[in-house]
Structure formats: C-alpha cells, structure tokens
C-alpha cells in the first residue's frame, strides 16, 4: 500500500545487510535514508525519533481504565471467534485495538504463541500506539488511516524484528470515525499477500456489526436505498465508489467529491453534477430523494460513469477485485456534526442472504436486510469468506455493469446544517494558519479580509486606529480611525478609500459596535437606522449593491484597535446569527494578531531608533579616504551591527565594522558600548590587534557582569579594524571572527586578503594577529558584516563570487559601489542586519611631506628649526611658522634629553600642519603643571596651548610625539 500519487517502494528482505535492515541501521545512526524504504515507514521512523523513542525499549504501557464491553469489542468478538477457528494451528495471532492503540482482544491460531509473549501482553490493556511502541501495524494504521503492512526490520523496536503484520482501521459506517484497528501478526517468513483480502473482509464484517448498533432512522434510510438499488438492476450506468478509487484519487480529489455530495444533500433535490479531478478526469455525482417505509426522507448521492469506450476500458482498482464477492462494503464519510449521518457503500447490488456465507443478487438479497442493519441473523454474515487464506481466490459472483456505488446519504436539513458547520470550521482552521502570518499591522488586516472573501462576505473593510498603525497603544478609537483595507470580489464599489479618515454619525452601526464592544448585525441595509449618516458621500450608493452588513470591533486585551465591516452582495440571503458569530470569531483572532504586530512594530521602532542613534550621523572630515556607507536592518528584528570612520594622527584613518550576536534591545545597547569603546581605544593610537585585545577583554567583562547570569544573556561580537596611512599607502588590518574585507585595486582586480580569522570577541585567551598590505592610490577597501553574504537560501561561496563580480568596476565611486552591492548582492529579505563601508584610498602628495633625521645632539636643534621654517615658507604657511617653531623646538629638545637616538622629525601639510618627532625610546612624556619656583617643566604645557591636539603613538621600536597646528595659527 502506498499513498495516493506515490510510487510503490519495495520493503525488501534483509539479505547480506541490505534492504530494510541496512536502511534502519543507517537511519538509527543519523545517516540520510531516501531509497529502499516506503514513505509511510520512513515517516513513522522520523516521528519515533522526534518522540525520543528507543529501539531497545521492551516494556509497553498498560491501561486498566478501558471499556471491556465497548462498541468495537461487541462488534469484533464474533468475527475474531470465527477467525480463530479458521487459523487454528497456524502461527497467526489476531488483535483488535481501540482508536487509541490499546489492545482489547487477542486470539491465537496456536495456543503456544501466547506463552511466548510477556505476561502483560497476554491480557487486554497494553498499548501499541506509535507514540509509545514505535513503528508497528496497529500504531501505523491509526497514523496513516489505511491498510498497513509492516515487515521485519520496518518495525522500529528490536523486539519486533522477527515479525510481520497487516493492520486495517475499522470505522463506524455512520460517523466515519475510526473505532479501532484489526491486526494480523505472524512470523516474518509466513508472509502471504492473500491475508490482505482476508483482513478486509473481516473488517467489513465488524463494520456491519457497528452499523447494527446505529439508530433506527439511519438504518431505515440505508435499507430503503439498498432495496431501491436491488430493484433497479437495469440501470444504464456503472458506478465507481469513492472508497474504491482511494488509491487513484488524491486526498484533495476525495475531499472535493465529498464536499460536492454534501452540497447536493443539503439542496434536497434531484440533480447531477460533474466534478473535475486534478488529473483532468471527471466523475458524475447524481442525487435522488429517498423515503423509508417509516417516512424518513433523505437524499442519496451516487458516483456514476457512462459506459467506457472500447479504446478506453474502465479500470477497476485492484483492491476492489480482491473483495469483489464480499457484500456491501460500508466505508464512510462524515460531513460535519455528529447528528449528520452519511453512508458510503460498495456493491450495493449484492446483499448477504439469510444463510451465512451465501450471496444473492436482486430483491432476494434485499429481503435479507434485518432490523439490525446489513447483517444476517448471527450478525457475522460474510465472514465465511475468510474460512481460509486460499478462499480469497475462490470463484465469486461478479457484479453487473449496472451496479451503483453510494457516496453519501443523509437528511437534507441535517445535511445543510452539517455542511454549513463544516465550512465554518474549515474557514476558522484556515484563518488560524493564515491570519497573523506576518508581524505587519496592515498586512494582518489584509489577511483578515482575504480570508473572509468570498466564503463569508463579498466585501470587507477594516478601519484601524492611527496610533495602532504607528505601533502605539490605541487611545481614542472614535476620533482617529483610518481606513486601512478595502477588499472584495470587485473593485468598483464606493467604499471610503484606503488612507482616508473615517467618521461615524451618532446612530450608525459602527458607533453602536464600538460603544457596546460586540458585533452588530444589519440584515437589511436599506432599513438600517443611521446608515446614510455614516458616510453620506459613499453610503448612499452602497445599498444598491450590498444588502447586509456585520460590523465587528477588533478588540485585544480589552483595548479596541479598530473595526471590521463584512458586506454581503451576491447571496440573496442576508447575514444571520451564525454568520455574526463566525465574523466575531474571525475578528477576535485577527485582533490578537494585529495587537501582536503592533507591539512588535513598537518594539522594533524603539530598537531601530536606538540603533540608528548609536551609529555615526555623519562622516568626519579627513582626506585619507573617500567613504560611503549603508546600514540595512533585518526584516524580523534589529541586530547590533555597526561601522565607524575614525581620524587618527599623522593623517591616518581607522575603518571599523562590527556585529554583536543576537537581536533586540540588548544587542543594540551592547553595540553602542562597543562602538564607543572601540573609538576610544583607536584614538589612543593603538594598533589594530591591540584594539581587538582590549575589546575582547571588554566583551568578556560585560558578559560576566550580565545580571541574568548563567549564560542567559551571553554577549559576543565580531569585529574588523583597519588603519590606512596615506603617507605610505599601506594598511594594517586585524579581525576577530569577522568576514574578511574585499580589496578592489585600481585596475579592477578584486581579492579577499588572507587575514588570520581570530576568535570572536568575548572568548578571551587567544591573541589577534595583524597583517599589513599595500593599497595603491585609488584602491577600494570594502568592509561588511555577515548579513550581506550569509543567507539560508544562498551558498556563501556563490555570494562571494557575486560580490567579486559587482566590485570589478574600479571606476565607480564609493557611493555607486555601495548602491550596486545593495542592489545585486544583498538579500531581498535580510534576516540579519547589514552594515557596509566602502573606502577609496588617497595618497598624501610627497611634496607636502618634509622629513629630517638628526643625532641626539642639542647643537642640531637650531639647524632643524631653520630648515622647517624654510619648508613652511615654501608651503605658504608663514602664519603657522611661529607656533610650529616653538612646538618643534620643545619636542626635539625633549627627545634629545629624555629619549634615545636616532631622532626623526616630520612635517605633514594636510588639513592641518602636523609636527612629529620620533625616537627609539618607549618613555612617554606627561603633561603637568609646573610650580612657580620650578625652572622647567612648562614645555609640554606650551605645546598643548599652541596646538589643536597632541599625543603619543608607539611604534614597534620607539614612539612618536605629535602635535597639530591650525593653518591660521599665530
């Protein structure tokens, strides 16, 4: 047996480690299993693994509170007694379980079989449901709701590996509910395909006995139909039962047939309807009135096909052939409430005779129907067909080509209520999965309208508070409602357009709805009080097109968020109380989803505002690089991505991007702290690897200080820091678990520099390594966070190749490069934040650089001072000469007195005049206030007063003391 539309898969025998044994071993070891295992078995294995079941589990749960004399037991005992007599002496054991998998009855072909079982399995009450026993016949038959065969290693439990079984659900013929499961168990080597026909016949006998326990009205209708069918053997049509076509029809097609049949019953008239199937075929459903001898009126719906042409012979499914001689198969469908009873039968033209095991056609068979249902005097008619396995192939009467197949039968009024109830339940079920699929307020309102049209209403309008649309709490709903959704079967009705403010008059249904907090039904709009005062511009024209209205408040947590209007136009019947209750339920579910979306919108707006506030609002003035940047928050939530551009001493610039683990307010706040700390460490002129070390310590400290503790709010981050020097056109980079940058050279060559990855920030204990690379003037350095390249729908290597292709245009400006990356590489719906920084490098003109080297001798100070004044004159910086002369004198003198040679002096003419003095000593000067009696100690104080900024940066060997002077300094 396979599901409709599936290719059959052989279970296979365990030979040399292949077949189901090998597949099961691979599955238990976590390896993929796609071939050689039937879909139903593989699905069951996966469910067992999800439930945490162990294949070595031996004990089964035992229940004592089952009903030992329930309906399924009363129906099964005579059938099992006859089966036990038939299989006497064989190794077959027979079980009947209830709809929960609890075994209620057991019979054994050989008494010794019972002694081989654990004591708990010899008496009723042990549970064989899949959720506790793993893959087995009883559990899988309940899960798949069809005939199931489980062979050997297809069982999940080790204890069942030597066994095989075939199991079939037993249904109540009137309600369609599964009442239990009939199961044949046998040794793995005793497999016999004919057992399937036997178990079908036995299950049918049990179902007829269940039918005998039904009500008199239901049996009367079925008896009338069977009698009529027997008297009309000359019908010019052949019937195809839906149950017989189950293997050929998809679940969707079966549901369509049953729904259409229920509609025909509810209409209470003779009709014929063609139902198209998904594969292009068509089945005709014919309904006709039935009246029982006691006056019960009902409708029978049959599935019929015209005589097939010689070129296209009618093919009967094999499962029908296997039970061709078995009487009145009563498989069933229920169409709604329990009060609505429907019947399905195969081979209505053949009924059991009074003698057990005998079959007769026509009126004689009809007379054999007893008041207990379609069973003979002993209630087990037809079970003699299972007198032996070989009996499954005996000669049987073949039904005539005019035999009809009953699909559904029921009373019209009950059927109409059942159909309406079922459709309401289906609509609510669909609404549960459809409304609130997104966390967007407007989209959720649209989902409400799309769900209700056209199955409940022809037009739907939704008005929401403006505060709700902004993500805020609703305050005065009456004064700030705005039309949010207008949806219907057509677009030409004069509703208030979307976006316009909606005002209500004093007597309108909407005002009464909001005031009372309950749905208001207006069955006739023309007679509705205050209708024209609601919206005179549009409402006057509406009653010509729509005739009935339900207005429902959208209330969540006792707060009114808005109002929904449901209009009916095409259906001549006005809305009723049931429609109002359904609209109220839909609106209640939608209101909860809208409120969730509103709260999410509010929180996301706050986090996004914090995130953007903590990011740079503008780029600093510097000439080392030309920079462009982008920040794109994730659609679902805001993360902690950041970027920064930091001017450094000596015309250098620092470029940094980072990503804090997680989403929400905590990540945004942590991002702000890290960005501030990174900028502070960078402005100390520390190299990239040392900056990352300090950040690593900071993140570890923040994690330890987390008030949640115990790892609840683990803080982590990745970071990439680069320092570019335009005087040497070299760049030093280091990263902490961050994606590497992309480098675009002036000729268009794109590469990803090989940088040591480094651990993410917060792990601690591991060093960071820096790499120095050449960046010719005009190169572009592209820094980004992982949200740009990591996407569950795309491979990272493919994305990096796309990025390489996008960057292979060196002529683009950084702004153009940013936009191209966002258009072609960034995911359409980012699930993580994206921070992007593109920097095109510039070089400082060598003519604006002056360098001198001198020994540690005070005699050379005057010579350097004179040379510097000459260079300043050449640059036209005479106004800055006085301050620069004093600064140079002080810095060079300090280097000679307190440092170590050689001493190097450098002047840089950029936006400011930068004076640098370096030596090979690591001793740093400190600014202090000299006392009035001190003869010295005022040099650095003068430097600080004459310069805009000054400081110290350390080199691998020595240090640099620098000071910046304004170009207009005097």
């Amino acid at each position: 047996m396979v599901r409709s539309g599936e290719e059959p898969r052989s279970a296979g025998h365990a030979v040399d480690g292949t077949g189901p044994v090998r597949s099961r071993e691979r599955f238990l070891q976590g390896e993929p299993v796609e071939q050689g295992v039937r879909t139903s078995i593989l699905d069951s294995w996966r469910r067992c693994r999800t439930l945490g079941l162990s294949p070595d589990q031996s004990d089964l749960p035992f229940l004592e509170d089952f009903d030992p004399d329930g309906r399924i037991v009363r129906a099964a005992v005579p059938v099992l007694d006859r089966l036990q007599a038939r299989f006497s002496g064989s190794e077959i054991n027979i079980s009947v379980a209830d709809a929960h998998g609890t075994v209620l009855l057991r019979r054994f072909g050989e008494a010794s079989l019972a002694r081989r079982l654990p004591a708990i399995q010899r008496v009723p009450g042990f549970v064989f449901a899949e959720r506790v026993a793993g893959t087995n016949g009883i559990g899988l038959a309940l899960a798949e709701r069809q005939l199931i065969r489980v062979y050997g290693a297809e069982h999940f439990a080790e204890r069942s590996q030597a066994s095989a079984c075939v199991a079939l659900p037993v249904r109540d013929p009137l309600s369609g509910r599964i009442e239990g499961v009939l199961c044949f168990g046998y040794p793995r080597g005793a497999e016999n395909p004919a057992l399937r026909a036997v178990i079908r016949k036995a299950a049918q006998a049990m179902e007829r006995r269940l039918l005998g326990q039904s009500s008199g009205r239901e049996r009367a209708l079925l008896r009338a139909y069977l009698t009529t069918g027997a008297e009309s053997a000359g019908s010019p049509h052949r019937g195809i039962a839906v149950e017989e076509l189950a293997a050929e029809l998809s679940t969707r097609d079966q549901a369509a047939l049953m729904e259409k049949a229920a509609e025909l019953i509810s209409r209470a008239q003779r009709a014929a309807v063609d139902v198209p199937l998904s594969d292009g075929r068509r089945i005709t459903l014919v309904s006709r009135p039935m009246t029982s001898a006691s006056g019960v009126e009902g409708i029978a719906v049959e599935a019929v096909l015209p005589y097939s042409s010689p070129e296209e012979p009618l093919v009967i499914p094999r499962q029908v052939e296997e039970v061709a001689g078995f009487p009145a198969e009563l498989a069933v469908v229920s169409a709604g409430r329990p009060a609505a009873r429907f019947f399905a039968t195969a081979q209505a033209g053949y009924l059991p005779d009074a003698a057990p095991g005998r079959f007769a056609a026509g009126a004689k068979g009809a007379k054999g129907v007893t008041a207990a249902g379609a069973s003979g005097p002993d209630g087990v008619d037809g079970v003699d067909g299972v007198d032996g396995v070989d009996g499954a192939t005996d000669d049987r009467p073949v039904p005539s080509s005019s035999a009809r197949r009953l699909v559904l039968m029921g009373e019209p009024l009950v059927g109409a209520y059942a159909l309406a109830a079922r459709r309401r339940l289906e609509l609510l079920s669909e609404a549960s999965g459809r409304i609130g699929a997104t966390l967007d307020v407007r989209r959720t309102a649209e989902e409400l309208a799309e769900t209700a049209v056209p199955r409940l209403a022809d037009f739907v309008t939704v008005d929401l508070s403006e505060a709700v649309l902004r993500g805020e709490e609703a305050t005065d709903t009456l004064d700030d409602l705005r039309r949010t959704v207008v949806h219907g079967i057509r677009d030409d009705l004069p509703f208030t357009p979307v976006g316009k403010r909606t005002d209500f008059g004093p007597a309108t249904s909407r005002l009464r709805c909001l005031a009372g907090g309950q749905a208001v039904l207006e069955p006739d709009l023309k007679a509705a009080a205050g209708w024209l005062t609601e919206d005179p511009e549009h409402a006057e024209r509406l009653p010509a097109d729509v005739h009935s209205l339900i207005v429902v408040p959208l209330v969540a947590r006792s707060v009114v968020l808005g109002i929904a209007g449901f209009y009916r136009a095409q259906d001549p019947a006005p809305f009723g109380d049931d429609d109002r209750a359904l609209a109220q339920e839909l609106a209640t579910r939608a209101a909860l989803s809208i409120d969730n979306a509103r709260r999410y919108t509010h929180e996301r707006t706050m986090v996004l505002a914090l995130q953007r506030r903590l990011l740079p609002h503008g780029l600093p003035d510097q000439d080392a690089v030309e920079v462009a940047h982008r920040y794109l928050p994730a659609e679902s939530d805001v993360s902690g991505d950041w970027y920064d551009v930091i001017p450094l001493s000596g015309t250098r610039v620092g470029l940094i991007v980072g990503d804090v683990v997680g989403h929400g307010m905590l990540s945004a706040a942590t991002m702000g702290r890290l960005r501030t700390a990174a900028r502070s460490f960078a402005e100390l002129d520390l190299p990239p690897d040392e900056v990352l070390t300090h950040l690593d310590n900071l993140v570890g400290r923040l994690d330890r200080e987390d008030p949640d503790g115990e790892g609840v709010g683990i803080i982590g981050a990745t970071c990439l820091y680069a320092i570019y020097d335009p005087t040497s056109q070299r760049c030093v980079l280091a990263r902490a678990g961050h994606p590497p940058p992309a480098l675009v050279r002036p000729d268009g060559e794109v590469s990803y520099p090989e940088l040591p990855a480094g651990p993410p920030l917060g792990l601690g204990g591991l060093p960071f390594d820096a790499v120095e690379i050449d960046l010719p003037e005009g190169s572009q350095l592209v820094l980004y966070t992982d949200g740009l390249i990591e996407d569950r729908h795309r491979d990272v290597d493919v994305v990096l190749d796309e990025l390489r292709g996008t960057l292979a245009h060196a002529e683009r400006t950084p702004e153009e490069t940013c936009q191209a990356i966002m258009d072609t590489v960034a995911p359409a719906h980012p699930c993580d934040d994206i921070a992007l920084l593109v920097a095109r490098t510039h070089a400082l003109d060598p003519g604006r650089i002056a360098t001198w080297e001198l020994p540690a001798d005070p005699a050379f100070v005057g010579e350097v001072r004179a040379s510097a004044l000459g260079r300043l004159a050449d640059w036209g910086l005479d106004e800055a000469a006085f301050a620069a002369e004093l600064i140079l004198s002080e810095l060079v003198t300090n280097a000679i007195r307190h440092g170590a040679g050689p001493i190097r002096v450098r002047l840089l003419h950029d936006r400011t005049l930068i004076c640098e003095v370096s030596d090979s000593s690591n001793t740093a000067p400190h600014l202090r206030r000299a006392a009035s009696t001190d003869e010295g100690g005022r040099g650095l104080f003068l430097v600080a007063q004459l310069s805009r900024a000054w400081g110290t940066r350390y080199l691998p060997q020595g240090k640099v003391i620098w000071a910046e002077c304004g170009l207009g300094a005097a």
Side-chain angles (χ1 to χ4, degrees):
M1 293 290 291
V2 296
R3 295 179 183 172
S4 176
E6 291 181 352
E7 292 294 331
R9 296 182 180 180
S10 173
H13 291 257
V15 180
D16 298 329
T18 62
V21 172
R22 177 57 180 159
S23 298
R24 178 175 172 274
E25 290 176 356
R26 292 176 55 199
F27 178 84
L28 293 177
Q29 293 172 5
E31 299 179 12
V33 178
E34 299 296 338
Q35 301 295 329
V37 181
R38 291 179 289 152
T39 302
S40 57
I41 299 296
L42 184 56
D43 289 346
S44 178
W45 287 355
R46 289 169 175 164
R47 291 193 294 267
C48 294
R49 182 166 59 186
T50 302
L51 292 169
L53 298 182
S54 170
D56 300 322
Q57 180 179 347
S58 57
D59 295 331
L60 295 174
F62 180 82
L63 300 179
E64 296 181 350
D65 58 346
F66 64 91
D67 185 0
D69 193 33
R71 295 183 69 230
I72 187 66
V73 173
R74 296 198 305 271
V77 167
V79 180
L80 263 62
D81 289 342
R82 297 178 68 89
L83 287 172
Q84 184 180 26
R86 172 63 193 91
F87 292 118
S88 176
S90 69
E91 293 187 275
I92 291 182
N93 67 84
I94 308 160
S95 303
V96 172
D98 64 14
H100 304 289
T102 303
V103 175
L104 306 178
L105 297 171
R106 297 211 77 171
R107 297 287 190 273
F108 300 91
E110 182 179 337
S112 62
L113 293 177
R115 293 192 293 272
R116 302 177 193 173
L117 297 174
I120 195 174
Q121 295 187 26
R122 301 174 191 171
V123 294
F126 69 91
V127 181
F128 248 131
E130 186 185 71
R131 67 181 183 277
V132 294
T135 306
N136 67 87
I138 292 175
L140 194 53
L142 289 172
E144 296 289 332
R145 308 178 68 84
Q146 63 179 350
L147 180 68
I148 285 295
R149 168 184 169 273
V150 183
Y151 178 88
E154 290 180 336
H155 289 89
F156 188 79
E158 295 286 351
R159 63 175 179 273
S160 303
Q161 300 299 294
S163 303
C165 62
V166 58
L168 181 66
V170 178
R171 300 175 184 267
D172 183 337
L174 299 181
S175 69
R177 294 190 301 268
I178 293 178
E179 293 289 336
V181 176
L182 176 63
C183 180
F184 291 172
Y186 45 91
R188 191 173 62 186
E191 175 73 3
N192 192 330
L195 287 177
R196 302 185 189 183
V198 177
I199 199 171
R200 285 181 186 276
K201 294 179 181 180
Q204 291 163 357
M206 293 170 60
E207 290 173 348
R208 287 198 307 278
R209 291 187 58 82
L210 287 172
L211 180 64
Q213 304 173 28
S214 61
S215 69
R217 291 175 64 90
E218 296 159 347
R219 295 197 307 272
L221 277 177
L222 181 59
R223 189 180 302 111
Y225 173 80
L226 296 177
T227 303
T228 303
E231 294 173 351
S232 57
S235 174
H237 294 84
R238 297 182 68 175
I240 299 295
V242 174
E243 284 294 318
E244 294 176 357
L245 287 176
E248 292 188 1
L249 295 181
S250 66
T251 303
R252 181 178 179 181
D253 288 339
Q254 294 180 51
L257 285 175
M258 295 305 173
E259 182 175 0
K260 183 58 66 175
E263 290 182 11
L264 292 175
I265 291 175
S266 65
R267 294 175 184 173
Q269 59 186 9
R270 188 183 300 272
V273 177
D274 281 345
V275 181
L277 305 181
S278 58
D279 58 3
R281 294 181 298 168
R282 306 179 74 86
I283 286 183
T284 301
L285 295 181
V286 177
S287 64
R288 57 189 177 90
M290 301 292 303
T291 303
S292 71
S294 59
V296 179
E297 297 182 353
I299 298 292
V301 180
E302 297 170 315
V304 297
L305 285 178
Y307 280 114
S308 58
S309 63
E311 295 80 8
E312 299 178 359
L314 181 64
V315 178
I316 303 297
R318 176 159 181 77
Q319 63 265 35
V320 179
E321 295 175 356
E322 291 177 349
V323 293
F326 195 69
E329 178 185 1
L330 296 172
V332 202
V333 177
S334 171
R337 299 175 181 173
R341 304 295 189 177
F342 300 118
F343 310 88
T345 182
Q347 298 184 337
Y350 285 84
L351 302 174
D353 196 2
R358 305 292 296 174
F359 299 89
K364 180 181 178 181
K367 295 178 182 178
V369 181
T370 68
S375 58
D378 62 354
V380 203
D381 286 355
V383 180
D384 269 5
V386 302
D387 278 350
V389 172
D390 296 335
T393 60
D394 291 345
D395 294 336
R396 306 185 182 91
V398 180
S400 67
S401 61
S402 61
R404 290 168 294 179
R405 305 292 184 263
L406 180 64
V407 176
L408 289 180
M409 175 179 286
E411 298 180 59
L413 186 59
V414 176
Y417 279 120
L419 180 62
R422 185 178 70 183
R423 289 183 172 177
R424 288 186 173 90
L425 289 174
E426 290 174 351
L427 182 58
L428 289 176
S429 177
E430 179 182 336
S432 298
R434 185 173 183 179
I435 300 176
T438 65
L439 289 173
D440 181 85
V441 173
R442 287 181 172 83
R443 181 57 194 150
T444 303
E446 292 172 355
E447 290 166 350
L448 167 63
E450 293 168 357
T451 302
V453 175
R455 297 167 66 178
L456 172 62
D458 297 313
F459 301 94
V460 174
T461 62
V462 180
D463 303 319
L464 294 177
S465 168
E466 289 190 72
V468 172
L469 293 173
R470 294 191 302 268
E472 303 171 2
E473 290 278 0
T475 51
D476 191 352
T477 309
L478 291 177
D479 293 336
D480 69 343
L481 283 180
R482 191 167 294 276
R483 180 59 47 89
T484 306
V485 176
V486 175
H487 181 70
I489 56 177
R490 61 181 194 272
D491 302 328
D492 58 346
L493 286 190
F495 289 103
T496 302
V498 172
K500 184 177 179 181
R501 188 184 184 88
T502 52
D503 298 315
F504 306 132
T508 63
S509 54
R510 280 178 165 78
L511 186 62
R512 289 184 284 125
C513 169
L514 292 175
Q518 296 293 327
V520 173
L521 170 63
E522 297 286 5
D524 185 2
L525 282 182
K526 295 181 180 179
W531 169 254
L532 294 181
T533 64
E534 180 172 317
D535 186 359
E537 180 183 353
H538 302 94
E540 186 175 6
R541 296 171 51 193
L542 276 177
D545 298 287
V546 298
H547 59 78
S548 189
L549 168 67
I550 299 175
V551 184
V552 188
L554 299 172
V555 182
R557 299 182 296 109
S558 301
V559 176
V560 178
L561 310 177
I563 194 167
F566 301 84
Y567 298 83
R568 176 166 288 179
Q570 289 187 331
D571 190 341
F575 284 125
D577 290 333
D578 289 341
D579 298 312
R580 176 172 56 184
L582 178 58
Q584 180 77 64
E585 179 65 24
L586 288 176
T588 299
R589 299 188 182 198
L592 291 174
S593 297
I594 289 173
D595 189 55
N596 287 337
R598 178 201 64 77
R599 297 171 66 182
Y600 168 78
T601 300
H602 177 67
E603 293 176 4
R604 187 174 188 274
T605 301
M606 291 177 58
V607 175
L608 187 57
L610 174 63
Q611 172 85 341
R612 294 193 180 279
R613 184 65 181 171
L614 295 175
L615 289 173
H617 293 280
L619 299 178
D621 294 332
Q622 48 82 35
D623 293 328
V625 291
E626 178 187 355
V627 178
H629 57 87
R630 292 288 189 278
Y631 171 73
L632 181 64
E635 285 191 350
S636 58
D637 205 349
V638 178
S639 184
D641 292 19
W642 90 91
Y643 60 89
D644 209 346
V645 178
I646 308 168
L648 302 176
S649 64
T651 69
R652 299 172 307 142
V653 65
L655 306 172
I656 189 168
V657 292
D659 183 2
V660 176
V661 174
H663 296 82
M665 189 71 74
L666 175 62
S667 295
T670 303
M671 179 275 291
R673 300 172 74 177
L674 287 184
R675 176 177 173 257
T676 301
R679 191 176 187 93
S680 300
F681 294 143
E683 289 179 346
L684 292 175
D685 273 326
L686 299 176
D689 53 333
E690 293 188 24
V691 170
L692 294 183
T693 300
H694 286 291
L695 289 176
D696 180 57
N697 294 333
L698 174 63
V699 172
R701 185 163 58 254
L702 292 176
D703 193 31
R704 291 190 296 272
E705 295 173 356
D706 179 14
D708 294 330
E710 300 297 331
V712 175
I714 294 178
I715 298 173
T718 64
C719 186
L720 171 63
Y721 182 37
I723 297 177
Y724 171 68
D725 188 347
T727 64
S728 62
Q729 301 178 41
R730 296 188 64 81
C731 183
V732 182
L733 307 95
R735 63 184 178 124
H738 201 83
L743 174 59
V744 186
R745 296 193 177 274
D747 59 0
E749 178 188 354
V750 180
S751 63
Y752 298 100
E754 295 184 3
L755 306 180
L761 300 178
L763 295 183
L766 296 175
F768 300 96
D769 296 322
V771 173
E772 188 172 9
I773 60 175
D774 291 320
L775 287 185
E777 183 175 11
S779 300
Q780 287 192 13
L781 192 63
V782 181
L783 286 67
Y784 50 87
T785 55
D786 57 4
L788 178 67
I789 60 173
E790 293 184 3
D791 183 4
R792 60 177 177 267
H793 303 295
R794 302 183 300 173
D795 184 80
V796 173
D797 292 334
V798 174
V799 178
L800 290 175
D801 288 340
E802 292 178 358
L803 179 59
R804 186 191 302 272
T806 303
L807 294 176
H809 298 275
E811 72 282 358
R812 287 176 175 162
T813 65
E815 186 66 31
E816 293 171 342
T817 300
C818 267
Q819 192 59 47
I821 292 174
M822 300 306 293
D823 292 342
T824 60
V825 181
H829 303 283
C831 56
D832 194 6
D833 288 13
I834 298 174
L836 175 65
L837 193 64
V838 178
R840 169 173 283 174
T841 62
H842 297 302
L844 186 61
D845 185 356
R848 289 174 170 256
I849 304 174
T851 305
W852 298 273
E853 290 189 7
L854 65 155
D857 186 349
F860 291 92
V861 175
E863 180 180 337
V864 171
R865 186 168 56 241
S867 298
L869 291 175
R871 182 58 62 92
L872 293 178
D874 294 339
W875 289 342
L877 302 180
D878 295 330
E879 294 182 1
F882 176 75
E885 183 180 6
L886 290 179
I887 291 173
L888 279 176
S889 295
E890 181 59 32
L891 295 182
V892 172
T893 301
N894 279 346
I896 293 174
R897 288 182 178 180
H898 307 292
I903 297 172
R904 186 169 181 264
V905 178
R906 188 170 71 161
L907 295 180
L908 303 176
H909 179 196
D910 192 40
R911 291 175 178 267
T912 60
L913 177 63
I914 302 173
C915 303
E916 295 182 346
V917 177
S918 61
D919 64 81
S920 59
S921 170
N922 291 325
T923 303
H926 297 281
L927 178 65
R928 65 184 179 88
R929 184 179 296 276
S932 58
T933 58
D934 292 339
E935 296 182 358
R938 298 176 179 82
L940 286 181
F941 178 77
L942 292 175
V943 171
Q945 295 298 312
L946 294 172
S947 63
R948 290 185 174 182
W950 75 279
T952 304
R953 71 172 181 268
Y954 291 92
L955 303 174
Q957 293 181 349
K959 66 178 181 301
V960 175
I961 310 298
W962 57 269
E964 289 187 7
C965 298
L967 298 183

